[in-house]
Amino acid sequence: ANAMHVKGATPAVGPAWKSEQAFKNRSSKAIAALRQHIVSVPLVAEIDKMVRLYRGSQWAQGAPILTATYPATYHVVALQGQPLQGAHLVAYQQCGNSLARHVLARLKLDGMPRRVSGLDVANQNTVWANISLSNSVGIAQNTPTALKTYLEQVNSERNTPHPQNDVLVKFLQVLQGGPKEIATKAMDELASPRQDWRNADGTGSPAPPGAGL
């Protein structure tokens, strides 16, 4: 079974390095053609930005990921080498390992009017409700950190992100499905929040529990 719904690489005909270089050359030519025919200055700037971010491996700034797993240089250490998640996985499923396809997808998105339908919101709520350790991050030594990162990513993709207090509550609720020791600590925190796990303004944050658990 292919749980990620990602196609494997097509075997090269002849030397692999020649095939890979030819693929990159075609991608570069396609991007150059897009720049030549697009008259919108902001869209051309967006093309240049995506290419620059990718070549500089600037993942934190939104560089497209052209592999099925997070790169070894990914800025979130807990995700390095792990299968793509959330929006990154969707982008890879749609555009694969072609930088040109990722650029084109971004241009299509930027060129479309922003509309938020009831179905969009319903889908976002379903994704949020279905987050669990087994389905989202797995159970390992870095589970709390990985869960924190995943929740922040999913929340940032919502049209209306949840407040940090709600993210903290979700973080602790999901951890209740984990190993007994972590689940017990999560239940205790939900019942009686610790002040040292709060931000200076009194709002919740999943960062301290992620470290403390």
Side-chain angles (χ1 to χ4, degrees):
N2 184 357
M4 293 181 65
H5 302 285
V6 172
K7 293 182 178 180
T10 302
V13 178
W17 68 269
K18 286 188 176 181
S19 177
E20 292 174 2
Q21 188 58 51
F23 180 82
K24 292 179 180 178
N25 289 342
R26 290 194 298 271
S27 181
S28 296
K29 290 180 180 179
I31 293 173
L34 285 172
R35 288 189 86 264
Q36 182 179 357
H37 289 88
I38 291 177
V39 296
S40 169
V41 174
L43 290 183
V44 171
E46 182 66 20
I47 294 175
D48 294 341
K49 177 183 175 182
M50 288 188 67
V51 173
R52 183 178 68 256
L53 292 179
Y54 172 73
R55 289 177 177 173
S57 299
Q58 298 181 50
W59 316 117
Q61 284 69 48
I65 299 175
L66 309 189
T67 55
T69 58
Y70 286 98
T73 57
Y74 194 65
H75 61 289
V76 180
V77 177
L79 292 178
Q80 291 176 359
Q82 299 299 311
L84 298 183
Q85 304 172 358
H88 292 141
L89 175 58
V90 173
Y92 186 78
Q93 289 172 332
Q94 294 176 343
C95 305
N97 61 341
S98 168
L99 180 58
R101 287 198 292 267
H102 282 268
V103 168
L104 182 59
R106 179 70 61 82
L107 294 180
K108 288 181 178 179
L109 180 63
D110 288 349
M112 293 172 60
R114 296 292 191 267
R115 295 180 180 176
V116 180
S117 68
L119 181 59
D120 290 333
V121 175
N123 288 338
Q124 292 169 1
N125 290 337
T126 298
V127 170
W128 184 258
N130 289 337
I131 293 176
S132 67
L133 293 183
S134 58
N135 293 334
S136 305
V137 297
I139 298 176
Q141 185 174 1
N142 67 339
T143 289
T145 302
L147 175 60
K148 169 184 175 293
T149 300
Y150 184 69
L151 284 172
E152 290 176 343
Q153 176 185 330
V154 172
N155 194 43
S156 68
E157 294 166 1
R158 294 176 57 86
N159 296 105
T160 305
H162 289 295
Q164 279 301 305
N165 276 335
D166 292 353
V167 178
L168 172 59
V169 170
K170 182 67 174 181
F171 175 84
L172 295 169
Q173 288 175 338
V174 174
L175 285 179
Q176 289 184 55
K180 183 177 180 180
E181 180 180 358
I182 293 180
T184 299
K185 289 183 179 180
M187 291 178 66
D188 291 343
E189 168 61 11
L190 278 171
S192 180
R194 284 170 43 182
Q195 292 304 312
D196 59 329
W197 281 6
R198 301 276 165 195
N199 294 324
D201 62 358
T203 60
S205 170
L213 296 175

